[in-house]
mmCIF file of all heavy atoms in Angstrom:
data_model
loop_
_atom_site.group_PDB
_atom_site.id
_atom_site.type_symbol
_atom_site.label_atom_id
_atom_site.label_comp_id
_atom_site.label_asym_id
_atom_site.label_seq_id
_atom_site.Cartn_x
_atom_site.Cartn_y
_atom_site.Cartn_z
ATOM 1 N N THR A 1057 0.500 22.432 11.646
ATOM 2 C CA THR A 1057 1.700 23.236 11.309
ATOM 3 C C THR A 1057 2.201 24.075 12.441
ATOM 4 O O THR A 1057 2.857 25.104 12.289
ATOM 5 C CB THR A 1057 1.343 24.201 10.099
ATOM 6 O OG1 THR A 1057 0.255 25.010 10.450
ATOM 7 C CG2 THR A 1057 0.937 23.337 8.880
ATOM 8 N N ALA A 1058 1.887 23.688 13.691
ATOM 9 C CA ALA A 1058 2.130 24.523 14.844
ATOM 10 C C ALA A 1058 3.642 24.762 15.031
ATOM 11 O O ALA A 1058 3.999 25.884 15.324
ATOM 12 C CB ALA A 1058 1.603 23.836 16.142
ATOM 13 N N ASN A 1059 4.493 23.834 14.747
ATOM 14 C CA ASN A 1059 5.935 24.020 14.957
ATOM 15 C C ASN A 1059 6.729 23.880 13.685
ATOM 16 O O ASN A 1059 7.853 23.450 13.643
ATOM 17 C CB ASN A 1059 6.488 23.070 16.041
ATOM 18 C CG ASN A 1059 6.310 21.578 15.598
ATOM 19 O OD1 ASN A 1059 5.470 21.239 14.803
ATOM 20 N ND2 ASN A 1059 7.183 20.751 16.123
ATOM 21 N N ILE A 1060 6.086 24.275 12.549
ATOM 22 C CA ILE A 1060 6.747 24.256 11.280
ATOM 23 C C ILE A 1060 7.656 25.465 11.134
ATOM 24 O O ILE A 1060 7.175 26.574 11.476
ATOM 25 C CB ILE A 1060 5.717 24.225 10.086
ATOM 26 C CG1 ILE A 1060 4.881 22.956 10.224
ATOM 27 C CG2 ILE A 1060 6.497 24.148 8.786
ATOM 28 C CD1 ILE A 1060 5.597 21.691 9.989
ATOM 29 N N ARG A 1061 8.800 25.300 10.567
ATOM 30 C CA ARG A 1061 9.649 26.439 10.247
ATOM 31 C C ARG A 1061 9.857 26.439 8.735
ATOM 32 O O ARG A 1061 10.293 25.475 8.156
ATOM 33 C CB ARG A 1061 10.991 26.402 10.970
ATOM 34 C CG ARG A 1061 11.846 27.641 10.610
ATOM 35 C CD ARG A 1061 13.008 27.680 11.541
ATOM 36 N NE ARG A 1061 13.946 28.776 11.116
ATOM 37 C CZ ARG A 1061 15.111 29.086 11.803
ATOM 38 N NH1 ARG A 1061 15.402 28.414 12.909
ATOM 39 N NH2 ARG A 1061 15.896 30.028 11.374
ATOM 40 N N LYS A 1062 9.520 27.515 8.046
ATOM 41 C CA LYS A 1062 9.720 27.646 6.615
ATOM 42 C C LYS A 1062 10.876 28.546 6.362
ATOM 43 O O LYS A 1062 10.972 29.677 6.936
ATOM 44 C CB LYS A 1062 8.446 28.250 5.982
ATOM 45 C CG LYS A 1062 8.601 28.446 4.444
ATOM 46 C CD LYS A 1062 7.325 29.041 3.854
ATOM 47 C CE LYS A 1062 7.503 29.243 2.397
ATOM 48 N NZ LYS A 1062 6.271 29.886 1.739
ATOM 49 N N THR A 1063 11.808 28.048 5.596
ATOM 50 C CA THR A 1063 13.009 28.819 5.158
ATOM 51 C C THR A 1063 13.151 28.789 3.705
ATOM 52 O O THR A 1063 12.936 27.763 3.082
ATOM 53 C CB THR A 1063 14.237 28.178 5.858
ATOM 54 O OG1 THR A 1063 14.096 28.068 7.209
ATOM 55 C CG2 THR A 1063 15.489 29.060 5.581
ATOM 56 N N VAL A 1064 13.510 29.897 3.055
ATOM 57 C CA VAL A 1064 13.771 29.953 1.675
ATOM 58 C C VAL A 1064 15.259 30.383 1.466
ATOM 59 O O VAL A 1064 15.652 31.433 1.826
ATOM 60 C CB VAL A 1064 12.851 30.990 0.916
ATOM 61 C CG1 VAL A 1064 13.144 30.925 -0.557
ATOM 62 C CG2 VAL A 1064 11.375 30.583 1.169
ATOM 63 N N LEU A 1065 16.035 29.459 0.767
ATOM 64 C CA LEU A 1065 17.423 29.723 0.586
ATOM 65 C C LEU A 1065 17.549 30.797 -0.596
ATOM 66 O O LEU A 1065 16.574 31.076 -1.313
ATOM 67 C CB LEU A 1065 18.164 28.433 0.121
ATOM 68 C CG LEU A 1065 18.043 27.256 1.096
ATOM 69 C CD1 LEU A 1065 18.990 26.187 0.679
ATOM 70 C CD2 LEU A 1065 18.381 27.703 2.518
ATOM 71 N N GLY A 1068 16.366 29.894 -3.995
ATOM 72 C CA GLY A 1068 14.937 29.704 -4.163
ATOM 73 C C GLY A 1068 14.339 28.432 -3.571
ATOM 74 O O GLY A 1068 13.120 28.236 -3.569
ATOM 75 N N LEU A 1069 15.205 27.573 -3.047
ATOM 76 C CA LEU A 1069 14.714 26.330 -2.428
ATOM 77 C C LEU A 1069 13.895 26.602 -1.174
ATOM 78 O O LEU A 1069 14.313 27.295 -0.320
ATOM 79 C CB LEU A 1069 15.860 25.383 -2.137
ATOM 80 C CG LEU A 1069 15.514 24.050 -1.369
ATOM 81 C CD1 LEU A 1069 14.747 23.152 -2.360
ATOM 82 C CD2 LEU A 1069 16.710 23.388 -0.835
ATOM 83 N N THR A 1070 12.684 26.086 -1.186
ATOM 84 C CA THR A 1070 11.807 26.196 0.007
ATOM 85 C C THR A 1070 12.067 25.035 0.912
ATOM 86 O O THR A 1070 12.085 23.837 0.530
ATOM 87 C CB THR A 1070 10.363 26.198 -0.396
ATOM 88 O OG1 THR A 1070 10.093 27.378 -1.176
ATOM 89 C CG2 THR A 1070 9.438 26.276 0.869
ATOM 90 N N VAL A 1071 12.348 25.259 2.202
ATOM 91 C CA VAL A 1071 12.653 24.266 3.156
ATOM 92 C C VAL A 1071 11.609 24.270 4.317
ATOM 93 O O VAL A 1071 11.375 25.315 4.973
ATOM 94 C CB VAL A 1071 14.065 24.444 3.783
ATOM 95 C CG1 VAL A 1071 14.419 23.289 4.705
ATOM 96 C CG2 VAL A 1071 15.064 24.570 2.701
ATOM 97 N N LEU A 1072 10.984 23.139 4.551
ATOM 98 C CA LEU A 1072 9.941 22.996 5.642
ATOM 99 C C LEU A 1072 10.524 21.991 6.636
ATOM 100 O O LEU A 1072 10.898 20.888 6.301
ATOM 101 C CB LEU A 1072 8.658 22.539 5.134
ATOM 102 C CG LEU A 1072 7.974 23.402 4.061
ATOM 103 C CD1 LEU A 1072 6.703 22.708 3.558
ATOM 104 C CD2 LEU A 1072 7.666 24.729 4.570
ATOM 105 N N THR A 1073 10.678 22.442 7.931
ATOM 106 C CA THR A 1073 11.176 21.530 8.944
ATOM 107 C C THR A 1073 10.175 21.470 10.094
ATOM 108 O O THR A 1073 9.564 22.441 10.456
ATOM 109 C CB THR A 1073 12.524 22.093 9.502
ATOM 110 O OG1 THR A 1073 12.358 23.406 9.970
ATOM 111 C CG2 THR A 1073 13.620 22.043 8.451
ATOM 112 N N LYS A 1074 10.078 20.243 10.642
ATOM 113 C CA LYS A 1074 9.197 20.033 11.723
ATOM 114 C C LYS A 1074 9.752 19.009 12.694
ATOM 115 O O LYS A 1074 10.036 17.868 12.305
ATOM 116 C CB LYS A 1074 7.826 19.519 11.271
ATOM 117 C CG LYS A 1074 6.831 19.221 12.379
ATOM 118 C CD LYS A 1074 5.481 18.779 11.866
ATOM 119 C CE LYS A 1074 4.480 18.425 13.021
ATOM 120 N NZ LYS A 1074 3.183 18.028 12.522
ATOM 121 N N GLU A 1075 10.058 19.408 13.911
ATOM 122 C CA GLU A 1075 10.677 18.499 14.885
ATOM 123 C C GLU A 1075 9.554 17.604 15.435
ATOM 124 O O GLU A 1075 8.567 18.116 15.966
ATOM 125 C CB GLU A 1075 11.373 19.224 15.954
ATOM 126 C CG GLU A 1075 12.639 20.000 15.496
ATOM 127 C CD GLU A 1075 13.409 20.626 16.634
ATOM 128 O OE1 GLU A 1075 13.341 20.108 17.773
ATOM 129 O OE2 GLU A 1075 14.081 21.613 16.364
ATOM 130 N N LYS A 1089 8.010 20.671 -8.517
ATOM 131 C CA LYS A 1089 6.766 21.116 -9.136
ATOM 132 C C LYS A 1089 6.827 20.715 -10.604
ATOM 133 O O LYS A 1089 6.891 21.598 -11.515
ATOM 134 C CB LYS A 1089 6.528 22.586 -8.945
ATOM 135 C CG LYS A 1089 5.124 23.081 -9.222
ATOM 136 C CD LYS A 1089 4.925 24.541 -9.007
ATOM 137 C CE LYS A 1089 4.966 24.906 -7.483
ATOM 138 N NZ LYS A 1089 4.724 26.336 -7.265
ATOM 139 N N ASP A 1239 14.640 26.440 -7.103
ATOM 140 C CA ASP A 1239 13.559 27.336 -6.939
ATOM 141 C C ASP A 1239 12.262 26.740 -7.484
ATOM 142 O O ASP A 1239 11.131 27.334 -7.383
ATOM 143 C CB ASP A 1239 13.810 28.678 -7.709
ATOM 144 C CG ASP A 1239 14.136 28.484 -9.133
ATOM 145 O OD1 ASP A 1239 14.702 27.411 -9.475
ATOM 146 O OD2 ASP A 1239 13.868 29.338 -9.943
ATOM 147 N N ALA A 1241 11.552 23.580 -6.194
ATOM 148 C CA ALA A 1241 11.517 22.378 -5.355
ATOM 149 C C ALA A 1241 11.238 22.767 -3.920
ATOM 150 O O ALA A 1241 11.387 23.971 -3.470
ATOM 151 C CB ALA A 1241 12.852 21.687 -5.428
ATOM 152 N N VAL A 1242 10.735 21.780 -3.186
ATOM 153 C CA VAL A 1242 10.456 21.939 -1.686
ATOM 154 C C VAL A 1242 11.160 20.761 -0.987
ATOM 155 O O VAL A 1242 10.964 19.599 -1.352
ATOM 156 C CB VAL A 1242 8.951 21.909 -1.418
ATOM 157 C CG1 VAL A 1242 8.660 21.938 0.057
ATOM 158 C CG2 VAL A 1242 8.203 23.048 -2.111
ATOM 159 N N LEU A 1243 11.965 21.101 -0.047
ATOM 160 C CA LEU A 1243 12.615 20.104 0.831
ATOM 161 C C LEU A 1243 11.883 20.016 2.154
ATOM 162 O O LEU A 1243 11.676 21.090 2.810
ATOM 163 C CB LEU A 1243 14.080 20.487 1.072
ATOM 164 C CG LEU A 1243 14.860 19.731 2.122
ATOM 165 C CD1 LEU A 1243 15.049 18.290 1.737
ATOM 166 C CD2 LEU A 1243 16.198 20.422 2.443
ATOM 167 N N VAL A 1244 11.406 18.883 2.480
ATOM 168 C CA VAL A 1244 10.650 18.695 3.777
ATOM 169 C C VAL A 1244 11.418 17.752 4.696
ATOM 170 O O VAL A 1244 11.788 16.646 4.273
ATOM 171 C CB VAL A 1244 9.251 18.129 3.515
ATOM 172 C CG1 VAL A 1244 8.426 18.110 4.860
ATOM 173 C CG2 VAL A 1244 8.527 18.900 2.421
ATOM 174 N N ILE A 1245 11.677 18.153 5.907
ATOM 175 C CA ILE A 1245 12.315 17.348 6.957
ATOM 176 C C ILE A 1245 11.483 17.307 8.149
ATOM 177 O O ILE A 1245 11.144 18.298 8.775
ATOM 178 C CB ILE A 1245 13.710 17.946 7.295
ATOM 179 C CG1 ILE A 1245 14.540 18.190 6.026
ATOM 180 C CG2 ILE A 1245 14.443 16.928 8.148
ATOM 181 C CD1 ILE A 1245 15.750 19.041 6.260
ATOM 182 N N PHE A 1249 15.320 15.692 15.133
ATOM 183 C CA PHE A 1249 16.492 16.435 14.749
ATOM 184 C C PHE A 1249 16.425 17.865 15.409
ATOM 185 O O PHE A 1249 15.340 18.234 15.954
ATOM 186 C CB PHE A 1249 16.630 16.591 13.288
ATOM 187 C CG PHE A 1249 15.493 17.357 12.638
ATOM 188 C CD1 PHE A 1249 15.582 18.759 12.468
ATOM 189 C CD2 PHE A 1249 14.349 16.696 12.193
ATOM 190 C CE1 PHE A 1249 14.504 19.416 11.917
ATOM 191 C CE2 PHE A 1249 13.330 17.342 11.623
ATOM 192 C CZ PHE A 1249 13.310 18.785 11.458
ATOM 193 N N THR A 1251 16.518 21.739 14.681
ATOM 194 C CA THR A 1251 16.244 22.597 13.491
ATOM 195 C C THR A 1251 17.414 23.439 13.113
ATOM 196 O O THR A 1251 17.815 23.526 11.985
ATOM 197 C CB THR A 1251 14.985 23.446 13.762
ATOM 198 O OG1 THR A 1251 13.832 22.622 13.963
ATOM 199 C CG2 THR A 1251 14.723 24.358 12.538
ATOM 200 N N LEU A 1255 19.350 23.151 9.546
ATOM 201 C CA LEU A 1255 19.282 24.196 8.540
ATOM 202 C C LEU A 1255 20.683 24.591 8.093
ATOM 203 O O LEU A 1255 20.892 24.933 6.927
ATOM 204 C CB LEU A 1255 18.537 25.380 9.043
ATOM 205 C CG LEU A 1255 16.953 25.238 9.158
ATOM 206 C CD1 LEU A 1255 16.369 26.423 9.796
ATOM 207 C CD2 LEU A 1255 16.399 24.990 7.770
ATOM 208 N N VAL A 1258 21.534 21.986 5.570
ATOM 209 C CA VAL A 1258 20.768 22.195 4.405
ATOM 210 C C VAL A 1258 21.441 23.285 3.521
ATOM 211 O O VAL A 1258 21.607 23.112 2.313
ATOM 212 C CB VAL A 1258 19.335 22.586 4.675
ATOM 213 C CG1 VAL A 1258 18.600 23.109 3.498
ATOM 214 C CG2 VAL A 1258 18.559 21.383 5.222
ATOM 215 N N LEU A 1418 2.623 18.027 4.132
ATOM 216 C CA LEU A 1418 3.309 19.364 4.023
ATOM 217 C C LEU A 1418 3.851 19.583 2.605
ATOM 218 O O LEU A 1418 3.608 20.706 2.048
ATOM 219 C CB LEU A 1418 4.420 19.527 5.094
ATOM 220 C CG LEU A 1418 3.948 19.485 6.495
ATOM 221 C CD1 LEU A 1418 5.187 19.374 7.429
ATOM 222 C CD2 LEU A 1418 3.205 20.756 6.849
ATOM 223 N N GLY A 1419 4.509 18.635 2.051
ATOM 224 C CA GLY A 1419 5.107 18.721 0.746
ATOM 225 C C GLY A 1419 4.019 18.958 -0.371
ATOM 226 O O GLY A 1419 4.144 19.788 -1.212
ATOM 227 N N ASP A 1421 0.948 20.086 0.050
ATOM 228 C CA ASP A 1421 0.313 21.350 0.268
ATOM 229 C C ASP A 1421 1.131 22.515 -0.367
ATOM 230 O O ASP A 1421 0.659 23.378 -1.050
ATOM 231 C CB ASP A 1421 0.106 21.611 1.702
ATOM 232 C CG ASP A 1421 -1.103 20.875 2.324
ATOM 233 O OD1 ASP A 1421 -1.815 20.171 1.580
ATOM 234 O OD2 ASP A 1421 -1.316 20.915 3.530
ATOM 235 N N GLN A 1422 2.437 22.430 -0.089
ATOM 236 C CA GLN A 1422 3.289 23.579 -0.530
ATOM 237 C C GLN A 1422 3.405 23.544 -2.073
ATOM 238 O O GLN A 1422 3.374 24.567 -2.733
ATOM 239 C CB GLN A 1422 4.705 23.445 0.107
ATOM 240 C CG GLN A 1422 5.665 24.546 -0.224
ATOM 241 C CD GLN A 1422 5.158 25.918 0.274
ATOM 242 O OE1 GLN A 1422 4.640 26.030 1.330
ATOM 243 N NE2 GLN A 1422 5.414 26.967 -0.545
ATOM 244 N N ILE A 1423 3.580 22.339 -2.666
ATOM 245 C CA ILE A 1423 3.731 22.245 -4.071
ATOM 246 C C ILE A 1423 2.472 22.570 -4.821
ATOM 247 O O ILE A 1423 2.460 23.338 -5.777
ATOM 248 C CB ILE A 1423 4.186 20.818 -4.471
ATOM 249 C CG1 ILE A 1423 5.688 20.612 -4.198
ATOM 250 C CG2 ILE A 1423 3.872 20.527 -5.873
ATOM 251 C CD1 ILE A 1423 6.609 21.345 -5.107
ATOM 252 N N THR A 1425 -0.386 24.161 -3.653
ATOM 253 C CA THR A 1425 -1.119 25.410 -3.332
ATOM 254 C C THR A 1425 -0.198 26.569 -2.946
ATOM 255 O O THR A 1425 -0.708 27.662 -2.680
ATOM 256 C CB THR A 1425 -2.078 25.225 -2.148
ATOM 257 O OG1 THR A 1425 -1.307 25.005 -0.903
ATOM 258 C CG2 THR A 1425 -2.978 24.013 -2.354
ATOM 259 N N ASP A 1426 1.123 26.278 -2.907
ATOM 260 C CA ASP A 1426 2.102 27.305 -2.455
ATOM 261 C C ASP A 1426 1.865 27.767 -0.962
ATOM 262 O O ASP A 1426 2.208 28.827 -0.603
ATOM 263 C CB ASP A 1426 2.076 28.572 -3.371
ATOM 264 C CG ASP A 1426 2.472 28.212 -4.754
ATOM 265 O OD1 ASP A 1426 3.447 27.507 -4.953
ATOM 266 O OD2 ASP A 1426 1.875 28.702 -5.726
ATOM 267 N N ASN A 1427 1.268 26.880 -0.211
ATOM 268 C CA ASN A 1427 0.939 27.190 1.216
ATOM 269 C C ASN A 1427 0.951 25.976 2.020
ATOM 270 O O ASN A 1427 0.018 25.118 1.914
ATOM 271 C CB ASN A 1427 -0.409 27.852 1.297
ATOM 272 C CG ASN A 1427 -0.816 28.242 2.690
ATOM 273 O OD1 ASN A 1427 -0.018 28.115 3.646
ATOM 274 N ND2 ASN A 1427 -2.089 28.613 2.877
ATOM 275 N N TYR A 1428 1.988 25.721 2.842
ATOM 276 C CA TYR A 1428 2.080 24.466 3.613
ATOM 277 C C TYR A 1428 0.958 24.397 4.684
ATOM 278 O O TYR A 1428 0.709 23.340 5.256
ATOM 279 C CB TYR A 1428 3.442 24.340 4.243
ATOM 280 C CG TYR A 1428 3.735 25.349 5.326
ATOM 281 C CD1 TYR A 1428 3.394 25.073 6.700
ATOM 282 C CD2 TYR A 1428 4.398 26.544 5.048
ATOM 283 C CE1 TYR A 1428 3.681 25.968 7.673
ATOM 284 C CE2 TYR A 1428 4.665 27.440 6.081
ATOM 285 C CZ TYR A 1428 4.298 27.221 7.392
ATOM 286 O OH TYR A 1428 4.606 28.070 8.415
ATOM 287 N N GLN A 1429 0.312 25.509 4.936
ATOM 288 C CA GLN A 1429 -0.798 25.535 5.958
ATOM 289 C C GLN A 1429 -2.140 25.271 5.318
ATOM 290 O O GLN A 1429 -3.146 25.351 5.985
ATOM 291 C CB GLN A 1429 -0.805 26.900 6.634
ATOM 292 C CG GLN A 1429 0.418 27.168 7.486
ATOM 293 C CD GLN A 1429 0.402 28.516 8.069
ATOM 294 O OE1 GLN A 1429 0.069 29.539 7.415
ATOM 295 N NE2 GLN A 1429 0.735 28.584 9.375
ATOM 296 N N TYR A 1430 -2.107 24.872 4.041
ATOM 297 C CA TYR A 1430 -3.406 24.658 3.307
ATOM 298 C C TYR A 1430 -4.376 23.698 4.057
ATOM 299 O O TYR A 1430 -5.492 24.013 4.257
ATOM 300 C CB TYR A 1430 -3.203 24.261 1.905
ATOM 301 C CG TYR A 1430 -4.473 24.002 1.164
ATOM 302 C CD1 TYR A 1430 -5.125 25.065 0.490
ATOM 303 C CD2 TYR A 1430 -5.137 22.761 1.140
ATOM 304 C CE1 TYR A 1430 -6.324 24.897 -0.190
ATOM 305 C CE2 TYR A 1430 -6.325 22.562 0.466
ATOM 306 C CZ TYR A 1430 -6.941 23.614 -0.175
ATOM 307 O OH TYR A 1430 -8.084 23.434 -0.752
#
Side-chain angles (χ1 to χ4, degrees):
T1057 60
N1059 63 334
I1060 301 292
R1061 180 168 174 178
K1062 180 180 177 181
T1063 306
V1064 181
L1065 304 188
L1069 178 68
T1070 298
V1071 184
L1072 302 176
T1073 55
K1074 178 179 181 180
E1075 294 186 27
K1089 193 178 290 186
D1239 55 332
V1242 175
L1243 170 65
V1244 187
I1245 309 170
F1249 62 90
T1251 299
L1255 287 176
V1258 169
L1418 294 169
D1421 283 355
Q1422 184 64 38
I1423 283 288
T1425 71
D1426 297 317
N1427 179 10
Y1428 69 88
Q1429 296 178 314
Y1430 178 87

